Every structure is written in structure tokens, then in C-alpha cells.
Amino acid sequence: MTSHIKISPSILSADILNLGAEVQAVAAAGADWIHVDVMDGRYVPNITYGPHLVAALRRFTDLPLDVHLMISPAQPHIKAFAEAGANLITVHPDADTHIHRVLCEIKSYGIKAGIALNPGVPITAIETLVPFIDLILVMTVNPGFGGQAYIPEMTNKIRQVRHLINHSGREIELEVDGGINLETAPSAIAAGATALVAGAAIYGAADKDYQSKITALRGK
Ligand code: DX5
Ligand code: ZN
């Protein structure tokens, strides 16, 4: 398959006091989406930002905003993130009691819905949700922090999710998130990923040459 691999830089590792310039730089460097990691200090052991930042990003860039909610419950906040301008909202099945309702609510705002699988969550947790989603996000680290190491055993899970998507006959994006860098991206792509999140590998690079990192991550 030679389709375009989407790169979604995670602003978690960006210089937050220069966020505008940081977003502009990855946009100019060919990023496809902007990955916004929302954390509540409850579902994950870290706290980041909320709809207010998404709205500010929306005013600033035309790139699709890929909003990853690591909050529990997510449902009370879906409307705020959608109205702030998220193009895609991804939620975790273990973060809400009625996850199907959450996915339907996301879709009701005319935006894309994604479902994320932590390393400890089996694919069976989302099998019945396949007709309702536009993206599956496979976590290759335990969520909460940028700069963690890719868990190699998750490559096989990416492959299994690829089979699930292919058998569904639906157009579902397969995004991989956590520890993606020049060493690990090829395995994720070979296993069937169509979109890669990268925080430290892009924003953490000492030379700030985002274009070479983004191009190299795609493997071309
Ligand atoms: C982890 C977040 C990731 C993270 C990725 O909790 O969901 O999106 O920012 O960062 P890197 O690429 O540094 O692992
Ligand atoms: Zn993320």
C-alpha cells in the first residue's frame, strides 16, 4: 500500500509558551493533523488542557484538530470540544459507562469519532463499535506522558486491528500513538497504521528541523 501516512504531531512536547509558532512550524513542515492530548489527572496521572485551547488552536490553524480525550467521564465535555472546533474526537471505551452513546454524540456534531485502546485493553472491547467509528487509535504506551518507550508487543495488536478494519469493509483510519520515532514508525506502518502521532520525535528534536522528522516518519 502506498497511501499517504498521516502525521499528527502531539503538542504535548511542544514549547507551550510558543505554541502558535510551534503549530505553524509543523504545518509548514507538512503535518496532516494536530494532536491535542487532553488529560484530567484522574483517567491518567497528568493534567493538560481543555476546550479553551482547542478553540484557540481553531482560530489559529486550518489543520484538522485531532483531539484525544484521556478524561473520565468524557461525555459531559464532548459538546464543548466539538463547539471549540475539534474535527475528530477520540475517546477510550473504559472511560465512560455508555461509550456507544458518547460516540453517537460526537457524530451528532458532524465530526469524526475515534476509539482508543490502551495497551491493557483488548480489541474485543471495541468490536461492536466498529460501525460507529471513523478511527481506531492503538496506544503503544500507557497514556499520561510524552516521551515514553514504544511497547513492541503492541505491533501485533496493530496488525489485528488492521484485520478488523479490513473485514469491516468500512473506511476507518488506524492511528498509532506513543513512542513513535524513526526506529518504531516502520513497524507500525508495516502492521497497518495509516496515521502516526509523534510528540517527542518531532518537538523534542534538538535541531528543530520538523520537516525532516515528519518526512522521515512517513518512511519516504
Ligand atoms: C500519551 C499521549 C501521546 C503522547 C505521544 O499519553 O496520548 O499522544 O503525547 O508522545 P510521544 O510521541 O512522545 O510518545
Ligand atoms: Zn495522544
Side-chain angles (χ1 to χ4, degrees), residues 87-209:
N87 299 84
L88 159 71
I89 296 179
T90 298
V91 289
H92 286 252
D94 44 331
D96 284 73
T97 308
H98 302 290
I99 194 65
H100 172 261
R101 177 179 288 152
V102 180
L103 294 168
C104 292
E105 183 178 344
I106 296 170
K107 299 291 288 179
S108 78
Y109 298 115
I111 61 176
K112 293 190 171 173
I115 194 97
L117 286 166
N118 284 337
V121 177
I123 298 170
T124 50
I126 61 155
E127 268 172 12
T128 59
L129 300 172
V130 167
F132 308 96
I133 56 178
D134 304 293
L135 175 145
I136 299 174
L137 186 161
V138 176
M139 291 298 308
T140 41
V141 299
N142 288 290
F145 303 96
Q148 301 183 82
Y150 181 95
I151 302 170
E153 289 80 0
M154 293 301 128
T155 302
N156 197 40
K157 191 179 189 184
I158 300 169
R159 219 171 276 126
Q160 289 170 15
V161 170
R162 168 48 53 206
H163 284 139
L164 178 70
I165 292 172
N166 289 353
H167 284 117
S168 78
R170 298 194 67 241
E171 276 204 20
I172 297 176
E173 203 83 58
L174 202 179
E175 186 174 36
V176 176
D177 185 5
I180 291 294
N181 55 37
L182 296 188
E183 283 72 51
T184 57
S187 319
I189 293 170
T194 56
L196 301 176
V197 176
I202 295 174
Y203 283 118
D207 62 9
K208 300 277 171 204
D209 179 1

Side-chain angles (χ1 to χ4, degrees), residues 10 12 35 37 39 68 70 139 143-147 177-179 197-200:
S10 167
L12 194 57
H35 190 79
D37 284 308
M39 306 184 184
H68 179 192
M70 288 159 278
M139 291 298 308
F145 303 96
D177 185 5
V197 176

